[in-house]
Amino acid sequence: MTTASLDDVHAATRGITRLSVAVAVILIVLKTFALGASGSVSILASLADSSLDLIASLATFFAVRWAAAPPDEEHRFGHGKGEAMAALVQAGLVFASAVFIGWEAIQRLFDPRPVSSGWVGVTVIAVSMALTGWLIWRQSRAIKLSGSVAVSADRAHYASDLAANVVVLIGVASGAWLAAPGLDAAAGLVVSVWLFWGAISVLKGAADQLLDRAGSDADRVAITTAVLSDPQITGVHRLRTRQAGPVMTIQMHVDMAPTLTLAQAHDILEAAETRLTALWPHADIMIHPDPRAATPVGRTKKAPETPSPDADS
């Protein structure tokens, strides 16, 4: 688990989004040149996808900066969900790209067109794959530091591009050197299906944050274990979690002896929060103490989470 400060996290996301925009621009220029030289439908598909990559990367570029803004009077929980909104935009753009590419590929299947300048197309796609692979590696490092859902969505898109470019490479080579333009169109159709599948994954990740999906079972077990490691805390209930950008919100009620003084209870809860921040350095934690005798009947130490009445939707 990373212990980087929020400033480091935001710096990492800002830097990688700048790089993503720059790579998208370079890929568009290269593929436009290759399309003009070859007329390949699979390169057209890849160019359309790179154009939407640029729009998506620009959306992420601005979203991570807005998400890094501190809480204000109108956004008491901060702006972390701006990243999820950017990921949602990305998913929509990928869906649009998949539909466009699929339609063009189906038309070319029934009306095949020759592919020329095969070496130009193959060279451009090979360079594109190298640039995309390097960007994905850099994005993976940034995600490891920040946990950014927006950068993760951007990486998922570029990862699908990398795999799709392999198909494009096959399509260009088949159309240019095997006199089989139908294979080029079929390659474009495969790219379309691949993008559609990737968009579903991006959409799910964004929706989880926007709809305040609870943390995983493993996270809940880790939270409960950390809190109950102090024997003075005898139970945990009403545990609620949600993620907004790099910040995990953790809320719970804990059982404590009713004979403890306010100062003693405060010190115990402070220590519990310290244990939790060791696992989630950027967590926003709220713990409410309950006298042990006041524990609701039927509660357990690992009670299932319920939606927060004050959840930021």
Side-chain angles (χ1 to χ4, degrees):
M1 184 65 64
T2 179
T3 57
S5 68
L6 276 178
D7 288 341
D8 291 336
V9 167
H10 295 320
T13 55
R14 287 193 297 266
I16 198 61
T17 53
R18 283 195 297 268
L19 183 62
S20 179
V21 169
V23 168
V25 171
I26 293 172
L27 292 180
I28 288 172
V29 172
L30 288 174
K31 292 176 183 179
T32 299
F33 171 74
L35 177 63
S38 67
S40 166
V41 67
S42 53
I43 288 183
L44 173 63
S46 187
L47 173 61
D49 185 44
S50 291
S51 299
L52 289 179
D53 281 348
L54 176 59
I55 297 174
S57 293
L58 284 171
T60 304
F61 177 87
F62 292 109
V64 298
R65 284 154 178 77
W66 186 70
D72 55 35
E73 290 298 324
E74 295 180 346
H75 305 89
R76 303 297 295 180
F77 289 98
H79 303 78
K81 289 190 178 180
E83 291 195 7
M85 292 177 63
L88 196 64
V89 170
Q90 283 198 6
L93 291 174
V94 177
F95 276 125
S97 177
V99 171
F100 169 77
I101 294 169
W103 176 252
E104 186 67 22
I106 291 172
Q107 287 185 315
R108 292 291 184 94
L109 280 172
F110 292 99
D111 182 22
R113 302 177 190 177
V115 176
S116 58
S117 302
W119 281 112
V120 174
V122 167
T123 300
V124 167
I125 294 302
V127 172
S128 299
M129 290 172 64
L131 276 174
T132 303
W134 176 68
L135 175 62
I136 291 171
W137 174 69
R138 292 291 301 270
Q139 288 175 323
S140 297
R141 295 181 61 186
I143 292 168
K144 185 177 181 180
L145 176 66
S146 67
S148 168
V149 67
V151 176
S152 181
D154 209 26
R155 182 185 64 173
H157 195 179
Y158 279 104
S160 68
D161 288 354
L162 186 61
N165 278 333
V166 175
V167 180
V168 172
L169 193 63
I170 295 172
V172 173
S174 300
W177 299 324
L178 300 180
L183 290 179
D184 175 55
L189 189 60
V190 171
V191 172
S192 172
V193 174
W194 186 281
L195 290 175
F196 191 86
W197 183 260
I200 293 175
S201 176
V202 172
L203 181 63
K204 181 179 182 300
D208 283 347
Q209 286 207 15
L210 290 173
L211 299 177
D212 289 332
R213 181 182 175 89
S216 67
D217 289 342
D219 284 345
R220 294 167 61 190
V221 169
I223 291 169
T224 304
T225 301
V227 172
L228 293 177
S229 63
D230 184 344
Q232 297 177 96
I233 299 178
T234 58
V236 172
H237 54 278
R238 296 185 64 182
L239 172 60
R240 295 172 290 186
T241 61
R242 64 181 180 182
Q243 189 81 30
V247 178
M248 167 84 83
T249 298
I250 303 173
Q251 300 175 351
M252 72 187 79
H253 286 218
V254 298
D255 302 330
M256 303 172 67
T259 55
L260 292 172
T261 66
L262 178 60
Q264 289 173 325
H266 175 270
D267 291 342
I268 293 170
L269 296 184
E270 284 283 312
E273 290 184 5
T274 299
R275 294 193 296 275
L276 290 175
T277 53
L279 299 174
W280 290 274
H282 315 307
D284 182 5
I285 304 168
M286 180 177 295
I287 304 177
H288 176 79
D290 285 335
R292 185 182 306 143
T295 304
V297 176
R299 295 285 188 181
T300 66
K301 293 182 179 181
K302 297 180 183 177
E305 295 183 339
T306 55
S308 172
D310 60 346
D312 187 10
S313 57

